[in-house]
Amino acid sequence: MHLARFPRRQYTHGYTPIEPLPNLTKHLGGPNLFVKRDDLLGLAAGGNKTRKLEFLVADALEKGADTLITVGAPQSNHCRLTLAAAVKEGLKCQLVLEERVPDSYDENASGNNMLFRLLGVEKIKVFKTGIDLQAEMQSLADDLAKVGRKAYIIPGGGSNKIGCLGYTGCAEEILAQCNQMQLKLDHIVCSSGSGGTHAGLAVGLSGNNANIPLTGISTRGAKIALEEKYHGLASETAEMLGIRGGIPREMFNIFDGYVGDGYSLPTDGMIEAVQLFARHEGILLDPVYTGKTAAGLIDLIRKNHFKQGENVLFVHTGGSPALFAYQETILSNVTG
Ligand SMILES: *Cc1c(COP(=O)(O)O)cnc(C)c1O
């Protein structure tokens, strides 16, 4: 796919590594595990939003924006990275925060919240869940227009067809690396949140006829609703890219049994996964996304969902700064 047709900024040098996870593979006794280290992408502390922002911020700059406005939860990695991109480009950034867990915003909280302030956010507005967040972002943009400024609104998680190009590019990167490493992948597992990661990967894999099954693990929301939403997002992206025949529905296979009591609320599986990755591979996961996704992956391995000898790639989408906002949960549960 010729992604150079679309304006893009570059925030990461080269490819992120694909690494084997030999210790964890041995511990779990299942398929051969590999990790795509998208936690090592560029901008402050990295993570999957960096790939989407390369295309979104380029679009904002082309449209003459001086301010980025976006939305996320109080510990949003996406908000942290949008703000970091704004800093790098000499833009301002305003955030709309959604308390998906009632009263969860604390202006003195650690993790990403602390980084919002360190990175110099221009304005934060906090709302209860259920209100029209798009309208709130538009109202901030309107206020800026009144004083002669120009805002660019980035949707939650950067998940629209422009943001999806980031993970279409990631799929091509994975294929190029695997071809070079002579690594035949049998499955790819990723985290499913706002959907740009899953949808973008589906477009890149399917558009290149890779024939690698893709599985998403939900961190918020039910299987069928997410699968349909992501399929729609992938179809729009495919159309923009001129991919004929659309993206097959089977690229959207999501397990929704690992969310627990709700978005960002700890689960035992998450705590176990965070500890296993830390102690077997020295890799930090996060409590909200990759910890629950890895919990799903580990459970599927234990249920023999994958065959012995198969190669399974876990896409590490980042998020470790949020760990520090969960210090008590982690420390009161680590074993040994
Ligand atoms: C946003 C996020 C995800 C989910 O990605 P989507 O593209 O929104 O589905 C996964 N992991 C981390 C660390 C994230 O910040």
Side-chain angles (χ1 to χ4, degrees):
M1 257 162 272
H2 195 35
L3 294 178
R5 283 177 289 164
F6 301 93
R8 181 178 191 172
R9 304 291 296 156
Q10 195 187 352
Y11 298 138
T12 306
H13 298 280
Y15 291 176
T16 60
I18 289 181
E19 297 170 351
L21 297 172
N23 305 328
L24 197 56
T25 296
K26 192 166 165 221
H27 176 80
L28 294 168
N32 304 317
L33 296 173
F34 294 82
V35 60
K36 173 69 170 163
R37 297 293 307 271
D38 269 13
D39 56 320
L40 303 179
L41 286 165
L43 297 176
N48 63 343
K49 305 310 179 306
T50 297
R51 288 192 190 269
K52 306 178 188 187
L53 287 163
E54 290 194 339
F55 290 96
L56 289 162
V57 176
D59 189 44
L61 291 170
E62 202 169 81
K63 297 197 160 96
D66 54 39
T67 307
L68 302 178
I69 296 176
T70 198
V71 59
Q75 281 294 335
S76 168
N77 301 301
H78 166 67
C79 287
R80 181 234 317 152
L81 287 165
T82 300
L83 171 57
V87 169
K88 196 169 170 66
E89 302 290 2
L91 307 173
K92 298 277 187 220
C93 178
Q94 302 193 351
L95 300 174
V96 166
L97 299 183
E98 178 194 14
E99 285 185 318
R100 294 176 191 171
V101 176
D103 301 319
S104 52
Y105 179 70
D106 166 5
E107 71 169 337
N108 295 314
S110 181
N112 285 310
N113 182 79
M114 182 192 91
L115 298 177
F116 298 161
R117 290 172 64 185
L118 175 63
L119 290 162
V121 66
E122 185 178 40
K123 188 183 251 183
I124 290 182
K125 288 194 83 176
V126 184
F127 297 95
K128 297 201 182 320
T129 204
I131 65 129
D132 184 349
L133 299 163
Q134 187 61 35
E136 295 303 337
M137 289 197 284
Q138 191 56 53
S139 132
L140 287 175
D142 293 345
D143 289 348
L144 289 171
K146 282 181 205 143
V147 293
R149 287 171 56 182
K150 186 161 185 199
Y152 181 91
I153 295 177
I154 296 178
S159 289
N160 58 14
K161 63 185 177 184
I162 297 173
C164 267
L165 293 175
Y167 271 84
T168 304
C170 179
E172 299 202 312
E173 185 174 309
I174 290 170
L175 293 174
Q177 287 172 299
C178 289
N179 291 343
Q180 220 227 331
M181 294 161 77
Q182 296 268 34
L183 172 63
K184 176 187 172 288
L185 288 184
D186 298 295
H187 292 273
I188 297 178
V189 176
C190 73
S191 204
S192 298
S194 62
T197 303
H198 190 138
L201 286 172
V203 171
L205 293 170
S206 169
N208 283 290
N209 296 315
N211 274 316
I212 304 171
L214 175 64
T215 296
I217 309 286
S218 172
T219 54
R220 187 192 189 195
K223 175 182 169 71
I224 300 295
L226 290 183
E227 289 177 354
E228 277 164 16
K229 179 180 160 200
Y230 295 3
H231 192 197
L233 181 55
S235 303
E236 279 177 45
T237 310
E239 197 181 308
M240 180 174 72
L241 284 160
I243 296 173
R244 281 184 214 102
I247 307 300
R249 179 66 174 76
E250 60 263 27
M251 293 304 287
F252 305 93
N253 178 31
I254 293 179
F255 287 88
D256 63 1
Y258 305 99
V259 182
D261 290 336
Y263 174 82
S264 77
L265 297 175
T267 63
D268 292 344
M270 176 281 285
I271 290 164
E272 185 201 15
V274 167
Q275 183 168 325
L276 282 180
F277 270 73
R279 296 197 178 176
H280 290 276
E281 299 291 347
I283 290 177
L284 300 180
L285 300 180
D286 81 288
V288 182
Y289 294 98
T290 55
K292 286 186 179 174
T293 305
L297 171 66
I298 290 165
D299 188 58
L300 291 173
I301 290 170
R302 289 179 176 149
K303 289 178 172 157
N304 296 317
H305 181 80
F306 308 102
K307 296 192 187 74
Q308 287 284 339
E310 284 187 333
N311 296 322
V312 178
L313 181 72
F314 170 69
V315 181
H316 189 336
T317 43
S320 64
L323 264 183
F324 302 101
Y326 286 73
Q327 181 175 336
E328 276 178 35
T329 304
I330 300 294
L331 289 185
S332 60
N333 285 288
V334 288
T335 54

